Amino acid sequence: MSDFTFLTKEQIYGNNKLSIFKKYHPGECTATDFSILLGCSLFGNFGDWWTKTAYADKPYYDVNVAGPGGSAVTESTNDCFGARPALPYSLISSSVSNIMRISSGIKEVEYGEYPQTIVDEVHSQGLEVLFNTGQLKKTGKNYTSLNYNNGFCPKTHIEYEYNGKKYIRFVGDLNCEGEKLSDGREIIDDEPYWVAVEPIKWLVDERENIALSKKILFSGVQFQNENSDVYTGDFDKTDIKRFMDNYFSKEIVSSKSAKISSTNNNTILNNIKFGLLKEEQVFGANSLDIFKKYGTQAATTDLSIILGSDFNSVNYVSDDGHPGWYWLETSYNPLSASAVSTNGYKDYDNFNRRYGGVRPALPYSLISSISKSIVRDTNGIKLVECGEYPQDVAANQKQLNDALVSNKLVKTGKSYTFDSRKYDEYDLGFNPVTYEEYMFEGKKYIAVKVNSYYDGNDIKLSTRVTCHDGDVVWIEVLPVEWLVDEKSGLAVSKRILVSGIRYDDINNYKGEFNKTEMHEYLNKYMVNDLFASTKFINQEATNTDEETLTRKQNPYSFNFDNVTEEDIIRGAVESNVSVFLHGRSSEGKSARVKQLDPECEIIYMRNATPDSLNGKSVYNASTGEMIDVPPTWYTKVKEKCEKEPDKIHIIFFDELTNALPSIQGMAFNIILDGEVNGKWKLPKNARIVAAGNDLNDSLAANQMAEPLFNRFAH
């Protein structure tokens, strides 16, 4: 049984009602498009939603925006009421993300994901074409709704992925025909609709330890149980509780996230420590089972090769690539450490050599809760995936270079750190170099400068492509595979992942691995780079206690307790700092701007043309001259500012990310120089605010060029 429940009437309207409802009117709860498609009863943009309070043994209360006092009663067989699930906040607090204080002072968090917002008509048509031609990828996850025509009858909605975003396809039915979706479309029976899967936002009542969904998430589920339409207050025996236990609670969290949510990731990252294999674990009678069955050779990644790894350029261990030379943790003498040669034999070399490969090892118990894809390979060895790391050379080098030049690559916010020292700089200590991760067509890459000299500067990668020292090569970020030795409980990376790292300086190394540069690199950089995928980083950050989180986001300890988001935006505008508001469609970005300036001049960038944004030149037949005509929006702003010189007037570039790159470039000149087309200066009391969807929020969004992005406070 899950811990999801509904609120009582007393928690909403009573003398001791939740603090949420002292600041939020309970009747003003937005229904998601998914809940509307499922038949949610609407009053304007708001929907009716259930409580679990019984009344007179049969009916029960639901919040009704049109009803007196904000509540009404109805029959338990009614399936047009929406659901706002609630649960103890402490059960999810270690797994939430994007913790924030909204303008009312209420804590808002994200946890789980669910189909919510309708995709606009143009992009719905595109998804429908891809669906009909079999080009959409199934994620393996489904969502369930109910159809009561034949009793408790679950209906499955398959989740699809396209360009890194997730959707479901819903076919309209008579239950919802005629209702309007958030984009104004009326629902038609048998018409397909595409709904975006998005993070669920929860409002937190900290005093009562309750998290309540901010929106109505689903509808179409009756309150009654199979045996009776009478409701006496035993909520655990209702169909809607059964639905939340068996379907909703499991579907809002993906399988990967479910593993993460069951564990404190901050603790995981703090506890994970990398080491290297010891000589006796690889060679001899007491070696690990994985080496008895798998052999001691290990394939090296292309990343390791271009960072200086010594590898066998002729032979291949398997399709994984060339066999490589890798370090062991055992010291050979005061000046050298043991290693495994490219042929799999015992070897050793001076600790300051940089061509040694790194094959991390750690107790499997430290990563078992966040591992996935557990299989047995042909040797009977347990093989798991955990973490991700740059590994193989990308096949689409030219395409990635072109995308970088045209600003079509998306930065994920993650980076990887290596040693920038040259392969022959044996006497110099670690000097970090960082490479940013980019997303392109659903895959992640970094561009790495080759730092190796092998076989006369001719370096052969796994694709049989050659490169040379100083070249820049795109490497794809992939899941890391680990071999698990079940007897010893040790997990060892299947491949050699990186190279170019020394053991230590000659004056410090005395066979104590914990004091080496290698150990510091493994546990200061590599652990975080490998396990902290972008999603994992966000999870980890939000799994700390709130004080630590606040300190990370607010290192100077400014007090924002009495400052709303509107105050911060207003302060930036009044200081003549251009502001960019991020968010999904229908989240109130325009409304916030209009709160500051009800008469703001709105420029809809999605439909903007060069003439409408920058003005144009027209021919004057009477004089034979060309006349420069400013754009209409500029004329209006100028008139407003001259009429009220002591008042700030806002120019609002709405949907800036949906504008074509060429139009964004024109906007950049206006924002940077404060003038239009190099001819007309913006008035001194004019201010600029822009808004738009991020790439993961809208199929129509374009990547903003970095110079334009950097002109705003975000």
Side-chain angles (χ1 to χ4, degrees):
M1 181 177 293
S2 75
D3 292 283
F4 284 104
T5 186
F6 289 156
L7 299 179
T8 65
K9 183 187 177 186
E10 180 66 24
Q11 289 174 311
I12 303 167
Y13 292 107
N15 293 331
N16 296 315
K17 63 185 177 184
L18 300 182
S19 60
I20 294 170
F21 298 114
K22 294 176 181 177
K23 300 177 180 180
Y24 263 101
H25 188 284
E28 296 180 350
C29 182
T30 304
T32 63
D33 288 305
F34 185 53
S35 70
I36 297 172
L37 286 164
L38 293 171
C40 185
S41 177
L42 295 177
F43 182 79
N45 294 324
F46 306 124
D48 296 334
W49 50 284
W50 297 114
T51 79
K52 64 179 181 182
T53 301
Y55 177 78
D57 293 335
K58 284 191 177 181
Y60 42 87
Y61 285 95
D62 70 288
V63 174
N64 187 302
V65 296
S71 63
V73 294
T74 188
E75 297 297 325
S76 63
T77 53
N78 200 326
D79 59 5
C80 65
F81 291 90
R84 287 185 82 177
L87 79 166
Y89 177 60
S90 57
L91 295 181
I92 63 170
S93 59
S94 65
S95 302
V96 300
S97 61
N98 294 336
I99 300 173
M100 62 180 293
R101 295 278 176 183
I102 54 181
S103 57
S104 61
I106 298 293
K107 178 190 281 188
E108 181 182 294
V109 302
E110 289 183 358
Y111 172 74
E113 57 187 18
Y114 205 64
Q116 294 183 63
T117 305
I118 195 73
V119 178
D120 69 70
E121 198 164 3
V122 172
H123 292 93
S124 290
Q125 292 172 357
L127 289 170
E128 188 68 14
V129 170
L130 295 172
F131 170 77
N132 290 326
T133 55
Q135 297 183 60
L136 285 181
K137 175 186 174 183
K138 295 180 181 179
T139 67
K141 184 178 177 183
N142 301 321
Y143 297 91
T144 306
S145 63
L146 290 189
N147 184 331
Y148 272 88
N149 293 334
N150 298 303
F152 190 97
C153 184
K155 179 180 179 181
T156 298
H157 307 279
I158 297 171
E159 183 183 74
Y160 298 92
E161 184 175 6
Y162 180 68
N163 277 354
K165 300 168 190 175
K166 292 176 281 191
Y167 310 91
I168 66 162
R169 182 178 185 267
F170 189 98
V171 178
D173 57 40
L174 294 174
N175 287 333
C176 54
E177 188 169 33
E179 290 286 2
K180 285 190 176 181
L181 298 167
S182 62
D183 64 354
R185 275 185 285 167
E186 283 194 1
I187 301 172
I188 301 172
D189 186 27
D190 286 332
E191 281 291 308
Y193 297 90
W194 288 89
V195 182
V197 176
E198 298 166 323
I200 302 173
K201 294 186 177 181
W202 303 81
L203 303 174
V204 180
D205 187 290
E206 296 170 277
R207 184 187 65 191
E208 299 297 332
N209 186 35
I210 291 175
L212 174 69
S213 64
K214 187 175 182 179
K215 295 181 179 181
I216 295 170
L217 296 178
F218 64 85
S219 183
V221 185
Q222 295 179 0
F223 224 94
Q224 68 175 33
N225 60 39
E226 292 180 344
N227 302 318
S228 173
D229 59 1
V230 173
Y231 177 60
T232 60
D234 192 351
F235 182 70
D236 288 341
K237 293 183 179 179
T238 60
D239 277 359
I240 204 159
K241 171 61 172 169
R242 175 183 166 198
F243 175 80
M244 287 197 292
D245 287 351
N246 295 336
Y247 299 101
F248 176 80
S249 64
K250 300 171 183 177
E251 292 172 352
I252 68 170
V253 183
S254 67
S255 57
K256 181 178 179 181
S257 299
K259 290 179 181 178
I260 291 176
S261 68
S262 65
T263 312
N264 186 312
N265 295 313
N266 186 43
T267 302
I268 290 174
L269 281 178
N270 287 337
N271 287 339
I272 290 177
K273 298 296 181 185
F274 275 157
L276 298 179
L277 292 163
K278 295 181 172 61
E279 186 177 302
E280 62 269 21
Q281 292 174 322
V282 180
F283 301 105
N286 296 319
S287 63
L288 302 181
D289 286 345
I290 57 176
F291 296 113
K292 294 174 182 177
K293 298 178 181 179
Y294 214 87
T296 56
Q297 278 185 294
T300 185
T301 62
D302 289 318
L303 173 72
S304 181
I305 292 173
I306 67 176
L307 292 178
S309 177
D310 184 11
F311 67 101
N312 190 321
S313 63
V314 178
N315 297 322
Y316 277 75
V317 172
S318 66
D319 290 338
D320 290 329
H322 302 287
W325 191 98
Y326 61 95
W327 289 112
L328 299 176
E329 192 171 306
T330 309
S331 60
Y332 183 77
N333 59 45
L335 295 178
S336 60
S338 296
V340 179
S341 72
T342 59
N343 295 319
Y345 302 132
K346 186 187 304 184
D347 202 356
Y348 65 92
D349 208 332
N350 290 343
F351 62 87
N352 59 355
R353 300 299 181 183
R354 296 189 176 276
Y355 51 67
V358 177
R359 193 180 183 189
L362 77 167
Y364 176 58
S365 60
L366 295 180
I367 62 171
S368 59
S369 64
I370 55 173
S371 299
K372 64 174 186 176
S373 298
I374 299 175
V375 298
R376 297 278 175 180
D377 68 7
T378 54
N379 295 295
I381 299 296
K382 179 187 285 188
L383 184 68
V384 303
E385 285 184 0
C386 189
E388 58 185 22
Y389 205 68
Q391 295 182 61
D392 291 339
V393 61
N396 52 341
Q397 296 286 318
K398 184 179 185 305
Q399 191 178 11
L400 287 165
N401 285 327
D402 292 345
L404 180 66
V405 172
S406 59
N407 293 313
K408 292 181 180 179
L409 295 182
V410 182
K411 292 182 181 180
T412 67
K414 184 182 176 185
S415 59
Y416 296 87
T417 302
F418 313 112
D419 194 344
S420 66
R421 299 297 188 191
K422 295 294 290 182
Y423 47 84
D424 56 356
E425 292 179 329
Y426 304 127
D427 297 328
L428 297 177
F430 181 78
N431 187 37
V433 59
T434 299
Y435 294 103
E436 291 184 292
E437 183 182 76
Y438 294 89
M439 177 80 76
F440 182 67
E441 294 185 347
K443 296 182 178 181
K444 290 177 278 190
Y445 306 89
I446 63 171
V448 184
K449 187 176 181 180
V450 177
N451 186 12
S452 179
Y453 186 91
Y454 183 85
D455 195 19
N457 207 26
D458 186 7
I459 303 163
K460 295 180 181 179
L461 302 178
S462 60
T463 57
R464 277 64 167 181
V465 171
T466 59
C467 59
H468 308 279
D469 183 49
D471 290 350
V472 175
V473 179
W474 286 96
I475 302 293
E476 185 176 353
V477 177
L478 297 166
V480 177
E481 294 184 324
W482 302 81
L483 301 172
V484 180
D485 189 88
E486 295 176 274
K487 181 187 295 185
S488 67
L490 199 66
V492 181
S493 66
K494 185 179 179 183
R495 303 169 75 186
I496 298 167
L497 297 178
V498 71
S499 66
I501 314 298
R502 301 190 319 167
Y503 248 68
D504 202 356
D505 181 80
I506 191 168
N507 297 317
N508 296 329
Y509 183 61
K510 294 181 175 63
E512 297 179 78
F513 182 71
N514 290 346
K515 296 181 180 180
T516 61
E517 278 184 15
M518 177 68 71
H519 183 272
E520 182 180 12
Y521 174 77
L522 288 172
N523 294 293
K524 184 177 180 180
Y525 297 101
M526 193 175 188
V527 162
N528 290 290
D529 289 351
L530 193 150
F531 289 115
S533 67
T534 303
K535 183 173 182 179
F536 198 98
I537 288 172
N538 294 337
Q539 288 279 352
E540 185 272 333
T542 54
N543 285 335
T544 60
D545 57 82
E546 191 166 356
E547 179 183 354
T548 304
L549 178 68
T550 302
R551 187 163 59 251
K552 286 183 179 180
Q553 296 178 339
N554 181 16
Y556 300 105
S557 300
F558 293 130
N559 186 350
F560 293 108
D561 289 348
N562 298 314
V563 182
T564 66
E565 290 180 0
E566 286 74 13
D567 292 331
I568 296 171
I569 296 169
R570 181 181 290 106
V573 169
E574 291 176 351
S575 302
N576 201 14
V577 176
S578 299
V579 177
F580 192 101
L581 306 179
H582 296 261
R584 302 179 182 89
S585 300
S586 305
E587 285 202 341
K589 298 185 293 295
S590 301
R592 290 188 176 183
V593 177
K594 290 178 181 177
Q595 286 177 353
L596 298 178
D597 180 10
E599 298 179 355
C600 64
E601 187 62 33
I602 304 177
I603 305 172
Y604 294 102
M605 296 299 291
R606 187 174 188 175
N607 302 319
T609 64
D611 287 351
S612 69
L613 190 61
N614 255 2
K616 59 185 176 180
S617 297
V618 298
Y619 179 69
N620 187 332
S622 61
T623 63
E625 298 176 337
M626 298 296 292
I627 301 174
D628 292 325
V629 180
T632 303
W633 68 264
Y634 174 80
T635 303
K636 292 180 179 179
V637 169
K638 190 168 182 283
E639 291 174 354
K640 291 177 187 177
C641 290
E642 290 176 349
K643 184 178 179 181
E644 299 176 299
D646 297 327
K647 182 179 178 182
I648 287 175
H649 287 278
I650 292 176
I651 305 165
F652 181 35
F653 291 94
D654 199 8
E655 295 186 313
L656 179 57
T657 51
N658 289 354
L660 296 172
S662 58
I663 299 297
Q664 287 187 11
M666 294 178 185
F668 172 69
N669 291 330
I670 297 171
I671 297 161
L672 177 65
D673 301 325
E675 62 182 27
V676 182
N677 204 11
K679 299 181 176 71
W680 302 288
K681 283 282 187 184
L682 296 181
K684 291 184 178 180
N685 54 326
R687 300 289 186 269
I688 292 174
V689 178
N693 310 123
D694 292 337
L695 291 180
N696 59 350
D697 294 330
S698 170
L699 285 169
N702 296 304
Q703 174 74 5
M704 272 202 298
E706 190 168 348
L708 175 59
F709 186 94
N710 291 339
R711 295 306 301 171
F712 292 103
H714 295 268

